Amino acid sequence: MNSFFTYLGPGVTSLYVENAPRNADTKTGEITHKKGEFIETYHGPEVRLAARYMLGENNSVKVSYDKSRQYLHALSNSSSLSPTDIWRLSNSYIKPQTGDQVSVGYYHDLMNGKLETSVEFYGKKLDNLLDFKTGADFLLNDRIESIALQGPGKSYGLELSLKKTGRLNGWFNYSYARTFIKLNGIFDEETVNNGAYFPTNYDKPHTINLVSNYDITTRFTVSYNLAYSTGRPITFPTGLYTLNGVEILNYSNRNEFRIPDYFRMDLGFTLKWGHRITKGAHSFWSVSIYNLVGRKNPFSLYFDLEDGEVKGYKLSVFGSPIPTISYNFKF
């Protein structure tokens, strides 16, 4: 399979000095594109290969290879009061992201098929990952190519899954996943962390999801949900100095630290009013408590300089238990 993408007008493409970094100082002019004009076209193969080998009735091994291309990109800033995501399509300066992934998985059924287990390992080679220059200003910036950088990346990890059916049913998923990017450009402003690999903004090594339901009777069900993940990477201020009477913050390497881990538990109860097959309508009540323990999970961390002192702030959303009740009617 081959994928094609064409960036169409109307639009404006900025021009920059050749063999120089793209910024406001090197901009030389603009080209205006008419509606429907072909500005840039990208294409390339996308491959999906998978094979499965049965090891008896309840065991199997699966091997797969996947080559993909992505034409929609996100630039994220996790160090502001409200984390900002800027979405951009590939254009004359932003190339499509590509990935080559190989995975191997082992699958095993227990308890006459009532318990399904699997473990899968994967590795992925990435190219043209998108990130931003050090000190980039996102606000009202219509020349994203002047703050954006692209470079190679790598990703690897494992996924463990357990799924159970029956009176006590649900699933448990655990994943260990790492994703890194390297930005090592020709010019100083195009190099981040001295050209070494560093975690991407969405790198979360550990993720756990547990969902369980227990049918106490045919009409009454209790549900439980647990969610945990490692905190997102973030860049912290590590020092403060004064230059010519101006206070300047010194920052750590890109994404060297992390915001606190995310943890949440939910509890729910469902009461059904009847199960007669001949009945034309069915209804049930649901009562649930979101964030049962009232943990104040940080949505973002941000820093401010106040009277010569660096102060950090944490923004939490839904930092207390939230009860809900609903009535559902199906016919």
Side-chain angles (χ1 to χ4, degrees):
M1 182 175 68
N2 209 48
S3 69
F4 290 84
F5 172 83
T6 298
Y7 183 60
L8 299 174
V12 176
T13 299
S14 299
L15 301 177
Y16 299 90
V17 176
E18 292 187 11
N19 300 319
R22 290 191 292 268
N23 54 46
D25 295 331
T26 61
K27 183 180 176 182
T28 59
E30 295 179 341
I31 297 178
T32 301
H33 304 280
K34 299 179 180 179
K35 182 178 181 180
E37 180 181 345
F38 283 40
I39 301 176
E40 194 69 54
T41 298
Y42 296 101
H43 64 88
E46 291 195 350
V47 181
R48 308 287 190 276
L49 298 174
R52 185 180 184 184
Y53 184 74
M54 297 299 299
L55 302 171
E57 278 188 29
N58 300 319
N59 302 275
S60 64
V61 175
K62 182 179 178 181
V63 180
S64 65
Y65 167 76
D66 176 282
K67 183 176 182 63
S68 58
R69 296 176 183 274
Q70 181 176 311
Y71 304 102
L72 181 63
H73 313 265
L75 271 170
S76 300
N77 180 11
S78 58
S79 300
S80 61
L81 172 61
S82 178
T84 304
D85 286 341
I86 298 177
W87 294 87
R88 285 294 185 272
L89 291 169
S90 295
N91 55 30
S92 301
Y93 295 109
I94 301 177
K95 299 179 181 179
Q97 299 180 47
T98 62
D100 294 87
Q101 177 173 307
V102 176
S103 60
V104 179
Y106 174 72
Y107 304 82
H108 180 58
D109 292 343
L110 299 168
M111 302 170 57
N112 296 321
K114 291 185 178 180
L115 180 62
E116 302 174 5
T117 66
S118 67
V119 59
E120 186 169 333
F121 302 87
Y122 73 91
K124 193 170 187 178
K125 179 180 177 295
L126 302 160
D127 201 8
N128 293 329
L129 290 187
L130 196 68
D131 212 319
F132 55 89
K133 295 180 181 179
T134 301
D137 186 6
F138 283 70
L139 187 62
L140 302 178
N141 194 326
D142 58 351
R143 297 189 305 274
I144 296 300
E145 71 278 356
S146 67
I147 65 171
L149 299 173
Q150 288 189 284
K154 58 183 178 181
S155 179
Y156 57 86
L158 67 87
E159 297 178 356
L160 173 66
S161 176
L162 304 174
K163 183 178 180 181
K164 186 182 182 300
T165 59
R167 189 172 181 178
L168 175 62
N169 60 85
W171 62 87
F172 169 83
N173 293 324
Y174 165 77
S175 67
Y176 175 77
R178 302 304 311 271
T179 305
F180 299 90
I181 181 176
K182 181 169 70 172
L183 299 173
N184 189 17
I186 300 175
F187 307 98
D188 289 342
E189 69 178 65
E190 297 177 345
T191 300
V192 178
N193 288 7
N194 296 317
Y197 278 101
F198 62 91
T200 61
N201 293 324
Y202 46 87
D203 176 74
K204 296 181 180 181
H206 303 284
T207 301
I208 296 175
N209 289 290
L210 172 63
V211 176
S212 61
N213 306 286
Y214 183 68
D215 298 327
I216 298 177
T217 68
T218 56
R219 295 178 56 193
F220 187 58
T221 301
V222 177
S223 302
Y224 173 79
N225 175 63
L226 180 148
Y228 166 85
S229 65
T230 306
R232 293 180 294 105
I234 191 173
T235 305
F236 273 10
T238 56
L240 173 66
Y241 62 93
T242 302
L243 180 63
N244 296 328
V246 179
E247 294 180 328
I248 301 175
L249 286 174
N250 185 57
Y251 284 85
S252 67
N253 287 333
R254 177 80 61 88
N255 291 346
E256 185 176 356
F257 297 92
R258 293 182 180 274
I259 67 173
D261 295 349
Y262 181 92
F263 178 79
R264 194 188 81 244
M265 290 193 298
D266 308 322
L267 186 64
F269 306 91
T270 302
L271 177 63
K272 303 175 184 177
W273 284 111
H275 292 282
R276 293 200 306 271
I277 298 177
T278 56
K279 191 175 181 180
H282 301 272
S283 61
F284 58 92
W285 285 93
S286 294
V287 178
S288 64
I289 304 175
Y290 178 87
N291 194 12
L292 181 65
V293 298
R295 178 179 170 86
K296 297 183 182 297
N297 289 300
F299 179 67
S300 67
L301 295 180
Y302 63 100
F303 304 89
D304 198 7
L305 185 59
E306 300 178 5
D307 300 325
E309 183 180 357
V310 180
K311 293 185 178 181
Y313 298 90
K314 179 176 70 173
L315 175 65
S316 298
V317 181
F318 302 131
S320 59
I322 301 177
T324 62
I325 183 171
S326 64
Y327 176 73
N328 302 271
F329 185 79
K330 297 191 301 184
F331 58 91

